[in-house]
Amino acid sequence: MIRTTLFALAVLLATSAAQAQCRQALALGLDVSGSVDAREYRLQLDGLATALTSDDVRAAFLAVPERPVRLMIYEWSGLSNQRIITPWSTIRSSTELDQIAANLLSTNQRFTNDATTAIAAAMLFGASQLAQQSECWKKTLDISGDGPANVGAHPQAITEEMLGDMTINGLVIGPKSRANTTKNLNNVKSLLTYYSEFVLRGPGAFVESADKHKDFTEAMRRKLIRELRLPNLSLLRPTK
């Protein structure tokens, strides 16, 4: 009975994907707050460019050309500091990924004087952008960061009603660092735990980690492959 139900669900998802104009809308939010210096900024943007043009990520984007993925990229810092650096782009071939990568390589840092980290505001901004992609059957938001929120609402306060139907994944830089901005070492959780408990949303949500900014490229590559992976319907078929 359970296998039959899972199979029916998989068929429903596949049908929904076939009817949609795109199979997934993917928004990437990059933390560029005051804790990110010029070198770390370049490691993030150049690393994302490298990840997007790697062979396995290209293959993941282009797995179903007739039902493409739509991608947008933005930077975030304080409460009102969000900047779209790649507007919504439909990925139908490697050309689009090459163009996005070239734009990332030529993008310069803007929020250099903002020491605040408003994760909740970044989540809501990404959700508002994903709300524009109603034709996509799946909506995914990535929040990358190297520190906890220190201004605005706590990420835990952001409800599903405020976000809509979407999944939020995370990419943590420095997963073992402290999850607060005080010097109190009592009951301090790691940043990885902070994201896992307060930022992730939706079924199948996960957090990837990079020990340092120099590891960002490989962490982003792993994350993109995982979240763009197509469901394996054969694993859900009932046995005879």
Side-chain angles (χ1 to χ4, degrees):
M1 179 64 180
I2 294 177
R3 287 194 294 269
T4 301
T5 301
L6 289 174
F7 178 65
L9 176 60
V11 171
L12 176 61
L13 292 176
T15 302
S16 299
Q19 293 174 345
Q21 294 299 312
C22 79
R23 72 177 189 270
Q24 185 173 359
L26 176 60
L28 306 179
L30 304 177
D31 178 5
V32 296
S33 57
S35 61
V36 177
D37 62 24
R39 173 181 171 275
E40 292 167 341
Y41 181 85
R42 288 263 50 97
L43 286 171
Q44 285 190 87
L45 267 68
D46 296 355
L48 176 55
T50 300
L52 287 172
T53 53
S54 65
D55 290 343
D56 42 10
V57 172
R58 286 184 193 270
F61 269 102
L62 303 175
V64 188
E66 66 275 15
R67 301 298 175 201
V69 174
R70 291 179 182 170
L71 175 68
M72 70 87 66
I73 304 167
Y74 68 99
E75 301 174 337
W76 62 272
S77 180
L79 290 172
S80 59
N81 289 341
Q82 298 92 27
R83 175 173 68 146
I84 294 176
I85 53 179
T86 300
W88 283 111
S89 303
T90 302
I91 311 300
R92 292 192 175 91
S93 70
S94 291
T95 301
E96 285 82 14
L97 290 173
D98 290 337
Q99 291 172 342
I100 291 172
N103 179 62
L104 291 169
L105 293 173
S106 63
T107 298
N108 295 318
Q109 190 171 7
R110 176 179 293 181
F111 304 133
T112 55
N113 297 319
D114 186 2
T116 58
T117 302
I119 296 178
M123 293 165 64
L124 291 174
F125 181 84
S128 70
Q129 294 298 311
L130 283 164
Q132 302 171 14
Q133 302 301 311
S134 59
E135 294 179 339
C136 298
W137 76 280
K138 181 179 180 181
K139 301 178 183 65
T140 306
L141 171 62
D142 287 325
I143 298 292
S144 301
D146 68 352
N150 61 15
V151 69
H154 192 284
Q156 190 178 30
I158 305 303
T159 65
E160 292 184 4
E161 290 73 21
M162 298 165 70
L163 293 171
D165 182 18
M166 59 181 292
T167 296
I168 300 182
N169 297 325
L171 196 165
V172 170
I173 305 169
K176 297 179 182 179
S177 62
R178 288 183 296 180
N180 64 32
T181 56
T182 73
K183 295 184 181 298
N184 178 11
L185 298 179
N186 295 322
N187 300 317
V188 173
K189 295 180 179 180
S190 71
L191 186 60
L192 182 62
T193 303
Y194 181 93
Y195 263 67
S196 298
E197 292 188 357
F198 304 133
V199 178
L200 303 191
R201 297 289 194 281
F206 67 95
V207 59
E208 188 58 74
S209 64
D211 286 343
K212 297 180 180 179
H213 282 85
K214 67 180 181 63
D215 304 311
F216 185 85
T217 301
E218 182 59 24
M220 177 61 75
R221 189 191 67 81
R222 293 194 304 266
K223 183 188 61 57
L224 289 170
I225 292 171
R226 181 172 175 180
E227 61 198 355
L228 291 169
R229 185 180 300 149
L230 296 171
N232 190 340
L233 300 185
S234 65
L235 297 178
L236 298 177
R237 288 197 177 95
T239 58
K240 293 182 179 180

